[in-house]
Amino acid sequence: MSSQPLRLAVVVGSVRDGRFGPVVTRWFAEQAELHSRFDVDVIDLADTELPLALPAVPPAMDPNPSRPAGLADAGRRLAEADAVVVVTPDYNRSFPASLKAFIDWHHTEWQAKPIAFVGYSGASGGLLAIEQLRQVFGELDAHTVREYVSFPRYYLLFDAEGNLKDPEEPAAAARTMLDRLDWWGSVLRDARHEQPYASR
């Protein structure tokens, strides 16, 4: 496998007022930087134009549909990524509509790439959202890694400055997930140069 660092897109899935996602994302991005195998790029959907009305021809059939100008930069960065981590809460036992819109505006950008998850919420720690996202990304021909990081009752785990009160266990989980993401990302980066993906 190549020793070249992987381009890792970290997607902040929540856009709601008062969201906690940026706190969790900041912590995870620091873990990814410490891992030293990733060039980290945070894509915050709150800074991205995400219309719910999708193009008439779906991206699965037309890989380059006409997209809003405010979505183009995030789409380009997603396309350039070798691996993706999605940071998501649970909303009513599922994941945010903003995240679904971002996923559905793209198709080939997800294909043959490893996807990992960092979840946070009340009791479930985002696991309900993560399990549904695994089904969605399977349909997009992406590979979701088994390992994840979860923060149940996140509001008890971080202090007022956004630091984890007890960081050792989450940091260990992040390292394990990043190790697996590194392996899959390296393998799939090489494989995307072969058919059926090479011409896309």
Side-chain angles (χ1 to χ4, degrees):
M1 289 186 292
S2 172
S3 61
Q4 180 182 354
L6 296 169
R7 293 168 293 189
L8 177 63
V10 180
V11 178
V12 190
S14 173
V15 301
R16 75 185 304 171
D17 291 341
R19 64 201 174 124
F20 199 75
V23 175
V24 177
T25 301
R26 184 165 53 251
W27 172 84
F28 178 75
E30 290 173 357
Q31 305 308 303
E33 293 283 1
L34 288 171
H35 190 276
S36 77
R37 278 287 295 146
F38 300 96
D39 290 331
V40 181
D41 179 21
V42 175
I43 300 175
D44 191 339
L45 298 190
D47 300 328
T48 303
E49 185 179 356
L50 287 172
L52 296 180
L54 296 171
V57 179
M61 299 176 65
D62 177 8
N64 297 297
S66 177
R67 295 187 175 103
L71 183 57
D73 181 62
R76 175 189 58 77
R77 291 155 63 191
L78 179 63
E80 292 174 352
D82 298 308
V84 181
V85 169
V86 174
V87 180
T88 183
D90 282 347
Y91 288 171
N92 298 320
R93 304 179 67 85
S94 187
F95 53 93
S98 51
L99 183 53
K100 188 61 163 66
F102 183 65
I103 292 170
D104 289 346
W105 269 103
H106 303 90
H107 187 79
T108 56
E109 292 84 355
W110 302 110
Q111 286 184 321
K113 293 181 182 179
I115 315 289
F117 305 100
V118 177
Y120 64 97
S121 70
S124 81
L127 295 184
L128 298 172
I130 289 171
E131 287 309 305
Q132 293 187 20
L133 284 165
R134 291 188 189 280
Q135 298 180 56
V136 173
F137 281 115
E139 178 65 20
L140 291 165
D141 204 13
H143 174 77
T144 62
V145 302
R146 176 179 179 274
E147 293 75 13
Y148 59 88
V149 181
S150 174
F151 294 106
R153 295 182 175 85
Y154 63 89
Y155 42 82
L156 300 177
L157 304 180
F158 290 81
D159 63 23
E161 285 73 45
N163 300 310
L164 277 169
K165 298 176 183 178
D166 187 3
E168 291 187 12
E169 186 174 342
R175 283 194 300 273
T176 300
M177 186 181 81
L178 287 163
D179 285 344
R180 188 60 58 95
L181 200 62
D182 176 25
W183 190 90
W184 277 107
S186 298
V187 169
L188 291 175
R189 178 172 60 187
D190 294 340
R192 283 196 301 276
H193 296 296
E194 303 174 6
Q195 295 296 339
Y197 301 105
S199 61
R200 300 188 180 190

